[in-house]
Amino acid sequence: MMTLDAIAERVREGRRLGREEALILSRNAPTPLLGELAEMVRARKHPDPVVTYIIDRNVNYTNVCVAKCNFCAFYRPVGSSEGYVLGFDDLFRKIDETIAVGGVQLLLQGGHNPDLPLSWYEDLFRAIKMRYPAFKLHALSPPEIIHLSRLSQLPVEQVLDRLIAAGLDSVPGGGAEILVDRVRKLLHCYGKATSDEWLDVMRRAHCAGLRTTATMMYGTVETDEERIEHLLRLRDLQDETGGFTAFITWSYQPSHTELGGVEATGIDYLRTLALARLVFDNVDNLQASWVTQGGKVGQLSLAYGANDMGSVMIEENVVRAAGASYCMDEVEIVRNIEDAGFIAKRRNMHYEILGDPIFCQRDVPRMLELATARGNGETSTPNELRLYPARSRTGKASRLQDGMSELQDGGIAGWQDLKD
Ligand code: SF4
């Protein structure tokens, strides 16, 4: 067995870590050593003392989901009185608010709703691009794309092509959880996407010219070996395509979930982040997950391999449903970056620097509370939904009730008519 000293030396020499070495580090390395090595790798990859962040808005367009992952507190089953779908106008308003604080992108993800066909997504993307041509759509994680492929009975490549033609700019790395099928079966997320299926969507997205991120949710039922297997599978795909811009890891949030359990500690988070920095010699950027860890651990992440503070979170629904609700607007993010000794710069999804903080240049409204998908007590159904065929029994019944069932797949013209 290799000694810790020999493995640390290997990292210092810039050589790639193998499975066995990563496992020894994860089990036996003292936390300060992991931090020191990860910081060294971060500084090698990012010699300028700059830490980046993006201003975007994390919007969940629907919480209705047939996947029913047992670690998820966010979803509602089809027919639930708490289920929602956001209307196009709701989304336009959210984009207006995002642009007002200097935002450049929507991170758009949601449940696997059988009553939203592919044409709904295409019309939405086109409508957004028509109104906001420069605004970016970082949208639909691999399991959502697989869901649309099954729903429309079209191959994943074709779904991707249609979404790209409608305005999809990049794909978020959600839904990866742990890319080991034993774990996925235990988390009831094997059906939404197997490990191979998740990786294959990313491969196809990269081949179609899109950049994507990669993620890991740890702290459920996986072993140390399975966490490392996850990192290695992502590293292999990155060797093949080079399409991942960044890696983000966060801990499972157990409150209000079927799976239950306890949350991993902040130390486990920092160790996991540092290990990822050491394994990913081919991924440039690691984000700090302050949304699950809070601002202080988020700031400490910058000493454990992270070079990016992720998103100025204007809105968040998924992690909040599971009990965590940290809020940092641009002023707070920048303060955390500067207090850690770095220079804060805004970026886009491609990690191109956009400039200094917006609030240094002009007045922007402070956002001291996270917005939610819908206001309290809001239950209305968006008008344009009637234009799209539903698949579920309850969805069909409610659209029949609206008296518009004869309208099939209305397209953007239909939506605009309805709106006008
Ligand atoms: S994690 Fe995503 S796919 Fe799984 S139940 Fe929640 S919303 Fe659905």
Side-chain angles (χ1 to χ4, degrees):
M1 187 171 102
M2 279 190 93
T3 63
L4 272 180
D5 282 350
I7 299 171
E9 200 43 40
R10 200 178 167 92
V11 173
R12 290 190 184 101
E13 287 168 2
R15 291 160 67 196
R16 176 168 271 199
L17 287 182
R19 184 184 303 269
E20 183 71 8
E21 293 143 351
L23 188 61
I24 293 169
L25 279 180
S26 102
R27 285 188 173 156
N28 304 328
T31 304
L33 174 64
L34 276 178
E36 178 206 318
L37 295 174
E39 161 60 14
M40 193 192 64
V41 173
R42 185 205 61 77
R44 200 186 280 153
K45 281 195 175 285
H46 302 277
D48 294 334
V50 167
V51 166
T52 47
Y53 63 95
I54 186 167
I55 307 179
D56 68 359
R57 184 163 186 157
N58 191 348
V59 174
N60 303 108
Y61 55 90
T62 180
N63 64 347
V64 174
C65 190
V66 290
K68 301 184 179 176
C69 309
N70 63 9
F71 58 84
C72 177
F74 168 71
Y75 84 88
R76 293 294 178 269
V78 173
S80 164
S81 60
E82 293 177 353
Y84 74 82
V85 175
L86 295 180
F88 288 12
D89 285 335
D90 295 325
L91 288 153
F92 298 153
R93 183 181 46 77
K94 286 171 188 287
I95 294 172
D96 287 334
E97 290 169 2
T98 308
I99 291 171
V101 293
V104 292
Q105 163 178 285
L106 214 57
L107 165 50
L108 191 66
Q109 299 181 106
H112 301 186
N113 187 332
D115 299 328
L116 295 179
L118 179 57
S119 53
W120 181 87
Y121 295 82
E122 291 176 291
D123 288 350
L124 173 64
F125 289 9
R126 288 211 165 88
I128 290 174
K129 287 294 182 174
M130 226 151 60
R131 283 183 167 232
Y132 313 95
F135 199 75
K136 298 295 179 194
L137 285 171
H138 183 47
L140 307 186
S141 61
E144 289 167 271
I145 292 169
I146 292 169
H147 162 73
L148 284 176
S149 158
R150 291 172 184 161
L151 201 62
S152 59
Q153 299 185 312
L154 294 171
V156 162
E157 302 96 296
Q158 227 169 301
V159 171
L160 275 169
D161 285 349
R162 282 177 58 169
L163 292 169
I164 292 168
L168 177 68
D169 291 297
S170 56
V171 173
E177 332 312 353
I178 294 283
L179 292 169
V180 173
D181 287 340
R182 183 196 78 87
V183 176
R184 303 186 76 77
K185 284 176 185 164
L186 289 171
L187 297 181
H188 299 180
C189 64
Y190 177 78
K192 76 174 179 184
T194 65
S195 309
D196 284 348
E197 284 171 335
W198 190 97
L199 288 161
D200 195 51
V201 173
M202 285 310 197
R203 182 178 290 108
R204 289 177 195 281
H206 296 165
C207 290
L210 297 185
R211 304 300 301 276
T212 78
T213 54
T215 68
M216 173 169 81
M217 182 194 72
Y218 67 90
T220 55
V221 297
E222 81 283 353
T223 62
D224 297 341
E225 286 91 342
E226 286 165 336
R227 280 191 205 183
I228 288 162
E229 171 71 14
H230 177 96
L231 301 180
L232 294 180
R233 292 212 73 184
L234 290 173
R235 189 172 77 178
D236 287 348
L237 182 57
Q238 181 73 339
D239 278 346
E240 195 184 316
T241 65
F244 292 123
T245 54
F247 173 77
I248 311 121
T249 185
W250 60 82
S251 57
Y252 162 56
Q253 304 292 309
S255 297
H256 314 300
T257 64
E258 183 192 334
L259 181 65
V262 288
E263 188 183 344
T265 64
I267 294 293
D268 193 9
Y269 171 74
L270 293 173
R271 292 180 63 86
T272 306
L273 177 71
L275 185 72
R277 183 61 290 171
L278 301 182
V279 170
F280 284 132
D281 56 353
N282 56 0
V283 177
D284 287 341
N285 303 293
L286 259 68
Q287 287 184 19
S289 178
W290 60 264
V291 179
T292 56
Q293 304 299 317
K296 284 297 144 203
V297 177
Q299 189 184 44
L300 208 47
S301 303
L302 303 179
Y304 282 77
N307 62 293
D308 184 271
M309 281 295 265
S311 169
V312 166
M313 203 59 75
I314 299 167
E315 171 172 340
E316 208 292 319
N317 304 289
V318 176
V319 175
R320 182 210 306 257
S325 158
Y326 295 107
C327 178
M328 284 209 276
D329 67 357
E330 191 192 26
V331 174
E332 271 298 297
I333 294 234
V334 169
R335 193 178 59 74
N336 272 281
I337 292 172
E338 290 178 348
D339 287 354
F342 294 95
I343 299 162
K345 295 278 183 189
R346 274 181 301 121
R347 65 159 173 89
N348 61 16
M349 188 272 170
H350 293 270
Y351 285 77
E352 294 155 346
I353 301 290
L354 299 180
D356 294 328
I358 285 275
F359 71 87
C360 298
Q361 298 162 34
R362 62 175 164 89
D363 276 347
V364 286
R366 292 291 312 264
M367 304 210 72
L368 302 176
E369 248 181 61
L370 283 173
T372 50
R374 314 186 87 189
N376 260 349
E378 169 116 37
T379 55
S380 61
T381 305
N383 264 347
E384 72 274 359
L385 261 194
R386 303 168 187 168
L387 295 170
Y388 299 91
R391 177 64 66 86
S392 76
R393 193 178 296 173
T394 35
K396 279 179 184 160
S398 85
R399 282 177 207 176
L400 261 174
Q401 219 174 19
D402 288 336
M404 302 280 284
S405 61
E406 74 282 2
L407 282 174
Q408 293 293 308
D409 213 355
I412 194 163
W415 165 70
Q416 279 177 327
D417 287 349
L418 187 72
K419 190 168 169 283
D420 296 339

